[in-house]
Amino acid sequence: MSTWLAGRVLENRHWTDALFSLRVEAPRLDFEAGQFVRIGLEPALVRAFSFVNPPHDPVLEFYGIVVPQGPLSPRLARLEPGASLQIASNPAGFLTLSQVPDADTLWLVSTGTGIAPFLSILRTETPWRRFRTVVLVHAVRHASELVYRDLIGKLVNENRLRYVTFVSREAAPGSLAGRIPAAIRDGRLEAAAGAPLDERAHVMLCGNPQMLRDAAAALAERGLRKHRRRNPGHITVESFW
Ligand SMILES: Cc1cc2nc3c(=O)[nH]c(=O)nc-3n(C[C@H](O)[C@H](O)[C@H](O)COP(=O)(O)OP(=O)(O)OC[C@H]3O[C@@H](n4cnc5c(N)ncnc54)[C@H](O)[C@@H]3O)c2cc1C
Ligand SMILES: NC(=O)c1ccc[n+]([C@@H]2O[C@H](COP(=O)([O-])OP(=O)(O)OC[C@H]3O[C@@H](n4cnc5c(N)ncnc54)[C@H](OP(=O)(O)O)[C@@H]3O)[C@@H](O)[C@H]2O)c1
């Protein structure tokens, strides 16, 4: 059973007409980077949102997209500083590094807002303590949706992170065209990252459920299989809908 905590919006940053990041003051919550929590404007209308902030940061941060016909996301996008937000007291989820076995390369592969839990993970020290190479992959429709570039660029400049982007609905210099599963199959993803996608890797996938299925199928053709506690593998997934 969850109880509801009162949060207060500190900032609502709009990256594009549809993409927003909420920073929220709230009572401290115990969670692990990669987890999510249910938020809403009233207990009858709540949705899961991944934390973008790391656990040690007292200000909560969520990254969202407006689904025009969706009941909650358009309302969240319109929240102004000072507005109230309900937050469940019980974060949850298994898209966390404590669930991931040791590997040489950690691949964090996302579409759209599926980058959110990986941003939280990348704001902790754990990836670099545990993995020799860390790759972040982000696929979006338009280049303007390649968000959090300051945070990511800093990690890239420090040689801690390799960053590969896909832009699928316009030409975008510096980004791959098309979709992630095709680029796994034809070797473009490995070439762009300069890292192998083989049994020495662990791949965390987050975002569009069809991408999760298609990418897992492409990885299975390379001998990678879903990770389960009783049957260790190489793929961990979280679906956003
Ligand atoms: C574990 C988990 C974590 C999540 N974390 C986030 C997050 O960090 N940020 C976020 O924006 N959403 C996240 N979501 C989705 C979120 O819970 C809502 O579904 C979303 O905000 C839309 O809410 P809604 O009420 O407007 O529409 P809903 O009625 O919830 O959804 C309507 C439709 O919109 C589409 N949709 C839903 N979410 C998305 C999305 N994120 N991107 C593209 N299309 C979508 C799907 O087709 C869905 O059927 C997460 C979902 C889960 C299960
Ligand atoms: N992104 C926008 O411009 C925008 C603006 C306003 C509202 N919205 C709303 O937001 C929702 C969509 O959000 P989104 O654009 O973040 O998510 P999305 O539709 O999941 O697209 C994000 C990326 O994932 C790719 N993708 C989709 N299915 C895939 C699959 N099976 N395998 C591999 N890659 C796949 C897309 O490629 P493809 O392009 O090839 O599909 C795109 O590059 C919709 O409800 C839409 O109405 C979006």
Side-chain angles (χ1 to χ4, degrees):
M1 247 322 251
S2 54
T3 55
W4 293 95
L5 309 172
R8 193 173 64 91
V9 174
L10 298 174
E11 186 189 355
N12 191 352
R13 173 175 182 173
H14 284 257
W15 304 86
T16 67
D17 284 350
L19 298 175
F20 60 95
S21 288
L22 283 170
R23 285 169 55 76
V24 180
E25 186 178 60
R28 209 172 176 93
L29 283 174
D30 264 343
F31 70 94
E32 187 179 345
Q35 287 191 307
F36 62 87
V37 69
R38 287 174 303 135
I39 65 174
L41 301 176
E42 64 232 38
L45 179 57
V46 296
R47 294 286 185 268
F49 270 75
S50 303
F51 295 98
V52 170
N53 59 296
H56 59 261
D57 189 337
V59 175
L60 305 184
E61 188 171 340
F62 305 105
Y63 171 54
I65 188 164
V66 176
V67 177
Q69 273 73 46
L72 184 63
S73 56
R75 293 175 66 189
L76 292 179
R78 288 196 296 270
L79 290 180
E80 297 203 349
S84 307
L85 188 70
Q86 303 281 309
I87 300 162
S89 59
N90 54 344
F94 298 103
L95 192 78
T96 61
L97 290 183
S98 65
Q99 301 290 324
V100 168
D102 288 336
D104 283 354
T105 302
L106 176 68
W107 291 79
L108 306 173
V109 177
S110 58
T111 54
T113 53
I115 193 173
F118 299 145
L119 295 169
S120 180
I121 287 172
L122 289 170
R123 284 166 150 170
T124 70
E125 284 304 314
T126 317
W128 295 280
R129 275 209 312 269
R130 291 203 40 211
F131 305 94
R132 202 175 306 151
T133 306
V134 182
V135 183
L136 174 66
V137 180
H138 192 199
V140 294
R141 296 179 179 187
H142 304 285
S144 60
E145 294 158 9
L146 295 171
V147 293
Y148 288 94
R149 293 297 285 256
D150 288 357
L151 164 68
I152 295 165
K154 186 166 177 291
L155 293 170
V156 171
N157 290 337
E158 291 166 357
N159 284 325
R160 304 174 99 192
L161 182 66
R162 302 185 191 181
Y163 177 51
V164 180
T165 57
F166 287 77
V167 174
S168 54
R169 300 203 184 183
E170 64 186 359
S175 291
L176 298 178
R179 287 179 164 187
I180 292 165
I184 293 173
R185 289 200 169 91
D186 65 18
R188 281 185 303 140
L189 183 53
E190 282 173 304
L197 257 175
D198 60 18
E199 288 173 4
R200 292 166 293 174
H202 194 94
V203 185
M204 299 175 88
L205 298 168
C206 186
N208 183 311
Q210 195 56 50
M211 179 281 283
L212 305 182
R213 287 189 282 273
D214 295 350
L219 292 168
E221 292 163 19
R222 293 168 163 261
L224 278 67
R225 62 176 183 277
K226 287 258 176 79
H227 176 68
R228 307 195 198 285
R229 248 184 243 181
R230 294 219 180 97
N231 186 13
H234 324 89
I235 305 171
T236 306
V237 301
E238 182 169 86
S239 177
F240 267 13
W241 65 92

